[in-house]
Amino acid sequence: MTTSADQAEGAGMQSNGDQPGIFPSAAAYSGAVAPMRPAATPARNTQADADANGVPQVGESAGLIGWAARHPRLPLLIALVIGVLARVLLVARANAMIDGDEAMVGIQAERILQGQYPTYFYGQAYMGSLETYLVAFLFRIFGVSDWAMRAVPVLLSLLLIYLTWRLARDLLPRAARTSPLLAGLAALLAAVPPVYDAVVELRTWGGQIEVYVITLALLVTTVELADRLRSRGTGAGALALGWLCWGFFAGLGFWVNPLISYALVTSALWLAPLLFVRAFPTAASALTERLAEYANRLRRRSPTVASLAATEQSAQAMQPGKPFSTLLAPLVS
């Protein structure tokens, strides 16, 4: 026996074929169940989380970048403290023990205190005795000890960390908010190198860590001298001071360790286009036009070069005036 409710339900059920009452029709539920909609997602204010270059920064990275931008030298200070603590820990674990080559540095430092002033290490006409004089200075203050010898590379590591930070700061775009953080990360990498490199830096083998420090000083001087050469308003006195510092570090590096020659080649390649522009401005302008014309012709012919051109434009947006194919353009303009 069927009730009126069952009849109403059967009336609302339509078959998809010839069998009534098996599949409910869409009309049976129209108006009975509301269609499901995805929950609305609040809009994100990406403009507020973008840095100076328009790169969105969200979450903790934005806070870290902002902190470094407000305190640009604080990451350097943290790296210096970490670097000193790490090196003192390594020296303490080895009880400041020295090997035979390091003992020769100590003997020569004692001879300096007795009135002898060597130019190079014993038995060779290269690798100047800069480290020996530094060790002798600490021997004079604290007495002869293994810890006094180990203090020289530990103190020089502070210069190594600082010069790494300064070189990164000079190479990074000044206007970018991320530059202080990236320079601090570079200093942190110099403060905590791989263990083997840290141990080698702490060896008083004569000119080991010194050549690293002088190399960085030469590269920093090169980059800053290039900026002075590129600027039209730089006076002759500032240029003379830059060249004087460059020559001092180049000569000091050759005296301490011939490995400075690699840095000298790098420095020469960095300064050569600028010197060419200042010496031959007309030829440099013509060469810039030819390079720009050749680059445009390559972009039209090759899709690969076109993609490289897009990459170049992105790099130019990050650091205006320094694209690769128009290397001489910012020097002439």
Side-chain angles (χ1 to χ4, degrees), residues 29-79:
Y29 292 104
S30 61
V33 180
M36 298 181 64
R37 297 179 180 178
T41 304
R44 189 175 190 86
N45 186 11
T46 56
Q47 185 66 26
D49 295 333
D51 65 357
N53 291 326
V55 181
Q57 303 293 338
V58 296
E60 297 180 358
S61 62
L64 193 60
I65 291 172
W67 169 80
R70 291 189 300 271
H71 311 283
R73 293 182 181 271
L74 194 54
L76 170 63
L77 180 60
I78 295 174

Side-chain angles (χ1 to χ4, degrees), residues 299 302-318 323 325:
R299 291 172 187 173
S302 173
T304 304
V305 176
S307 63
L308 291 177
T311 305
E312 176 187 315
Q313 292 176 359
S314 301
Q316 185 177 5
M318 293 294 295
S325 65

Side-chain angles (χ1 to χ4, degrees), residues 3 6 11 48 67 71 102 154 165 211 219 236 247 249 263 269 282 291 306:
T3 63
D6 295 335
W67 169 80
H71 311 283
E102 293 175 298
V154 171
W165 172 83
V211 71
L219 294 179
F249 289 123
L269 292 175
T282 305
L291 287 176

